[in-house]
């Protein structure tokens, strides 16, 4: 019972959760993602926990407006994400150690890839990507699949503390470090052209990572 077993602990830590199909990253319930999406209520979460159709599903985080996650991707073995991250840290300064969610870690730590979570000023809008292999998960743009979800390839998501140690609980939002201002400034979303709807988003821009 993946969603049912974890949703309460996420709610207690301050996170809004959505159920996903078992072993999959998509689709989430409609109406909760993208610019126009709203966070689920506690009553809705309780219904998903009790409903056999969603209780066994994977679990996704709809991020609050003051949290972002950097998704470092090396799934094809091309080192694009780790290489981009190294280059960005050279340019903008090292990122503080933080909580990481990944289905590719082990007892020795999460490695370089995975979702790295940071706090930002409320309402911050960043670009959707920071370079090859580095995407940015934000409240209005994508959600994060997290433990104890099962990856489509069969591995299980886990949380890792900033020390690199595996954790059996999700982080509280106030435990996340701040994304350094140099990164916030450099990754800021470009100004929208006059007349562009701020709630317009392509369907593929509301999916999972």
């Amino acid at each position: 019972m993946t969603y049912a077993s974890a949703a309460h602990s996420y709610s207690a830590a301050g996170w809004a959760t959505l159920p996903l199909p078992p072993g999959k990253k998509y689709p989430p319930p409609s109406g909760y993602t993208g610019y126009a999406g709203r966070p689920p209520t506690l009553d809705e979460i309780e219904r998903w926990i009790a409903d056999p159709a969603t209780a066994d599903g994977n679990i996704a985080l709809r991020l609050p407006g003051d949290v972002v996650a950097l998704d470092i991707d090396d799934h094809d073995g091309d080192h694009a994400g780790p290489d981009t991250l190294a280059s960005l840290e050279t340019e903008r300064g090292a990122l503080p150690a933080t909580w990481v969610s990944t289905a590719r870690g082990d007892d020795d730590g999460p490695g370089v890839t995975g979702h790295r979570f940071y706090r930002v000023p409320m309402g911050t809008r960043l670009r959707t990507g920071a370079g090859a292999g580095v995407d940015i998960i934000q409240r209005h743009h994508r959600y994060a699949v997290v433990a104890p979800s099962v990856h489509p390839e069969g591995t299980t998501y886990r949380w890792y503390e900033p020390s690199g140690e595996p954790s059996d609980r999700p982080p509280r939002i106030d435990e996340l470090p701040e994304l350094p201002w140099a990164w916030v400034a450099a990754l800021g979303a470009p100004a929208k052209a006059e007349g562009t709807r701020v709630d317009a988003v392509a369907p593929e821009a509301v999916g999972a990572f």
Side-chain angles (χ1 to χ4, degrees):
M1 299 181 68
T2 304
Y3 184 85
S5 68
H8 283 148
S9 64
Y10 279 100
S11 294
W15 300 99
T17 59
L18 302 174
L20 301 170
K24 296 183 179 180
K25 299 182 178 183
Y26 185 87
S30 62
Y32 300 93
T33 59
Y35 281 105
R38 64 175 179 82
T41 66
L42 292 178
D43 284 344
E44 288 170 327
I45 291 173
E46 290 297 335
R47 287 201 295 270
W48 289 329
I49 289 172
D51 187 344
T54 49
D56 289 332
N58 277 350
I59 189 164
L61 297 185
R62 171 79 189 279
L63 300 188
D66 58 349
V67 174
V68 300
L70 302 183
D71 181 20
I72 315 302
D73 186 358
D74 187 27
H75 294 182
D76 296 325
D78 58 6
H79 303 292
D83 288 348
T84 296
L85 178 63
S87 177
L88 293 172
E89 289 194 301
T90 298
E91 296 173 5
R92 301 165 191 171
L95 287 169
T98 189
W99 289 76
V100 177
S101 169
T102 181
R104 301 180 182 279
D106 54 33
D107 289 339
D108 293 327
V112 178
T113 62
H115 301 165
R116 300 180 177 209
F117 289 77
Y118 295 95
R119 287 183 294 118
V120 293
M122 181 61 73
T124 295
R125 296 285 177 85
L126 303 180
R127 301 174 188 273
T128 58
V134 178
D135 293 293
I136 303 174
I137 304 172
Q138 304 170 76
R139 182 181 186 278
H140 62 280
H141 182 78
R142 301 193 182 275
Y143 49 83
V145 184
V146 292
S149 299
V150 177
H151 191 276
E153 295 179 0
T155 54
T156 302
Y157 286 86
R158 300 176 74 179
W159 281 105
Y160 294 84
E161 299 177 5
S163 65
E165 291 295 317
S167 177
D168 60 1
R169 67 172 180 88
R172 299 189 315 273
I173 291 173
D174 62 9
E175 291 182 286
L176 303 176
E178 294 182 358
L179 185 68
W181 179 247
W183 284 72
V184 174
L187 297 178
K192 291 184 177 293
E194 184 176 354
T196 300
R197 288 177 51 197
V198 297
D199 62 344
V201 59
E204 63 271 18
V206 298
F209 268 59

